[in-house]
Amino acid sequence: MNYKMLLGLALGLGMMGATAAQAQDAKAGESFFKRACAACHTVEAGKNRVGPSLAGVVGRKAGSVDGFAYSPALKGSGLEWNDENLDKYIADPKGTVPGNKMAYAGAKNEADRKNLIAYLNSVK
Ligand code: HEC
């Protein structure tokens, strides 16, 4: 085996590792979601509970699910739900969007939030 083949093999293995790690994150994120969020949120489109459906949340504007009565604070926040804004909001809902009505204290553990966001990216 020459070094180019070795390099190719190493790159290939590296990428497989990354995909496996992401799948792992999303799986852990799903169980965190069930514990911390599912009382108020579903990931089914059009199915709102106390909170709006989070199906396809990544990439949409805050406060944009039809038929959900958002607080003026969240609706007027101007946020778009990308990984970074989700991370801030989930860590500290009240501090990130003052006056919003999500009654959740915040997920303080960064690994939990990372897994959760990987999961939210997987629910379309
Ligand atoms: C006690 C109920 C409750 C819990 C628990 C809860 N939420 Fe919420 N969530 C809400 C409510 C209510 C809103 C709407 C807030 C508003 O309009 O001000 C909301 C809004 C959101 C939004 C904004 C959605 C949009 O369409 O703009 C996201 C994202 C979100 N929650 C994620 C989460 C995640 C992730 C968890 C778990 C870590 C969680 N929430 C836990 C009630 C809850």
Side-chain angles (χ1 to χ4, degrees):
M1 211 186 278
N2 66 28
Y3 92 98
K4 268 192 181 160
M5 280 168 75
L6 271 178
L7 190 66
L9 189 65
L11 282 173
L13 285 174
M15 284 194 302
M16 271 163 59
T19 330
Q22 273 163 11
Q24 186 58 46
D25 287 356
K27 198 110 194 78
E30 182 176 8
S31 46
F32 186 77
F33 181 89
K34 285 188 176 143
R35 267 183 289 136
C37 323
C40 300
H41 292 283
T42 75
V43 291
E44 267 177 73
K47 216 168 171 197
N48 301 326
R49 285 196 179 146
V50 174
S53 163
L54 295 181
V57 67
V58 177
R60 88 184 178 213
K61 276 185 60 191
S64 62
V65 167
D66 276 344
F68 184 81
Y70 289 99
S71 65
L74 189 72
K75 219 172 161 60
S77 67
L79 290 177
E80 184 181 307
W81 294 125
N82 55 28
D83 290 3
E84 193 189 337
N85 287 332
L86 279 170
D87 187 64
K88 285 191 199 144
Y89 183 62
I90 293 164
D92 182 9
K94 291 267 141 56
T96 307
V97 183
N100 92 95
K101 63 174 188 182
M102 171 156 124
Y104 177 69
K108 302 304 175 202
N109 183 305
E110 194 182 339
D112 286 343
R113 295 198 307 274
K114 223 179 125 242
N115 294 340
L116 185 58
I117 291 165
Y119 173 62
L120 290 177
N121 270 281
S122 78
V123 293
K124 301 292 174 200

